[in-house]
Amino acid sequence: MSVPYADLKAQYLSIKEEIDTAIQDCIDNTAFIGGGVIKEFEDDFAKYAGAKYCVGCANGTDAIEIALKALGVGPGDEVLVPAITWISTAGAVNNIGAEPVFVDILEDERTIDPSLIEAKITDKTKAIIPVHLYGLPARMNGIMEIANRHGLKVIEDCAQAHGAEIAGKKIGSFGHIATYSFYPGKNLGAYGDAGGITTDDSDLAKTCKMITNHGQIVKHDHQIIGRNSRLDTIQAAILKAKLPYLPEWTEKRRTNAAKYMNKLAGVKVPVVPEGYKHVFHVFAIQSDRRDEIKKALDAANIGNAVHYPNPLPMVPSYAYKGHQTGEFPVAEKVCKEILSIPMFAEMTLEQIEMVATEIDEV
Ligand SMILES: *Cc1c(COP(=O)(O)O)cnc(C)c1O
């Protein structure tokens, strides 16, 4: 028996009729760009995420770029980002002409370390992008306190954390604006690329909407410089059909995580602070024998991955910054020890046990 890292097919089969109907309706109506289903999904998702507005866009990377632009961040500005995250969080900052500035992470939680933020603030700093990595909320209360004291904007990168909460409050509702990815493997995934932006600020929402569609709300009335980053209609229809199942899928992920935590004795398992709701986009174990464990899982045909092999300050595209080994000690250690093991809602107890046994044997 092998265990996949994720099983998108199992999820599809569980709601096949609804997905097929949603797609067929778009084709029957030849509604490929725009259409009512986009607004319906945006409204449904805003409600789910505890926000007043949601603006769909083409992917989660664009969502960050558009949010930064809407907030007025641009050339000459600096934006603080965690040293471990998917490349988009930092790349989006470069792509609007601003400069990402890396901050080391908390070892247990792997999110940006609030106690290290202030030392990185300069008179060019305009914003902070906390990432709710793996599905665990970043320390938003501490981050907002610092941001407010320094007049900084906060963009929450929620790409891995749909539905995560701190003390019953949904992530994405702490900062000024939040961005989501609906990449197929994310906790809410489309059948291609898709993304979204949420905020309670109606002006910001309107600006984001205009940026995603050539700077216009009304056709040919280009108010600002925009681009094409529209949410695809078929993807919106699929996401709308899937969203009602997200709470149930999230609870299953959390139940599977609890089972893993009971069974895994010899490795470090995710640490969840009191009152924090982790949604386990990724279940990451940590061990100084990571490479041996990885080898054993590969040999047993058990899906696994390293998120991420290198802190972003050390990847070739950021070599221009001249960072040296030892500057981000926590991120550097975590990257050497971290391993993501299979995690999806439809996992069986047998699959969880097989993974845990394989790891315990090492
Ligand atoms: C997936 C992801 C993104 C980018 O989303 P895409 O839809 O793939 O562009 C951004 N940030 C984080 C933390 C992600 O995991």
Side-chain angles (χ1 to χ4, degrees), residues 58-64 84-90 131-134 157-161 179-184 186 192-196 281 308:
N59 56 68
T61 308
D62 279 6
I64 303 171
I84 293 187
T85 171
W86 170 238
I87 188 77
S88 300
T89 316
V131 179
H132 307 299
L133 198 74
Y134 306 153
D157 183 343
C158 304
Q160 302 188 1
T179 63
Y180 289 85
S181 166
F182 304 120
Y183 175 86
K186 296 288 161 79
D193 279 312
H281 170 58
Y308 297 90

Side-chain angles (χ1 to χ4, degrees), residues 55 64 70 128 282 292 314 361:
V55 176
I64 303 171
I128 308 175
V282 165
E292 285 167 72
M314 309 303 168
E361 272 171 17

Side-chain angles (χ1 to χ4, degrees), residues 17-34:
E17 245 172 72
E18 286 157 88
I19 297 286
D20 292 355
T21 305
I23 295 171
Q24 193 60 50
D25 282 352
C26 292
I27 298 169
D28 288 344
N29 300 327
T30 58
F32 302 119
I33 303 290

Side-chain angles (χ1 to χ4, degrees), residues 95-113:
N95 282 323
I96 57 141
E99 194 55 39
V101 173
F102 296 109
V103 179
D104 208 354
I105 58 162
L106 294 164
E107 176 162 1
D108 284 348
E109 298 162 48
R110 291 90 177 231
T111 51
I112 193 166
D113 183 345

Side-chain angles (χ1 to χ4, degrees), residues 40-63:
E40 286 165 20
F41 169 68
E42 288 172 338
D43 289 348
D44 290 354
F45 192 76
K47 204 168 179 190
Y48 173 81
K52 283 198 184 135
Y53 308 98
C54 169
V55 176
C57 65
N59 56 68
T61 308
D62 279 6

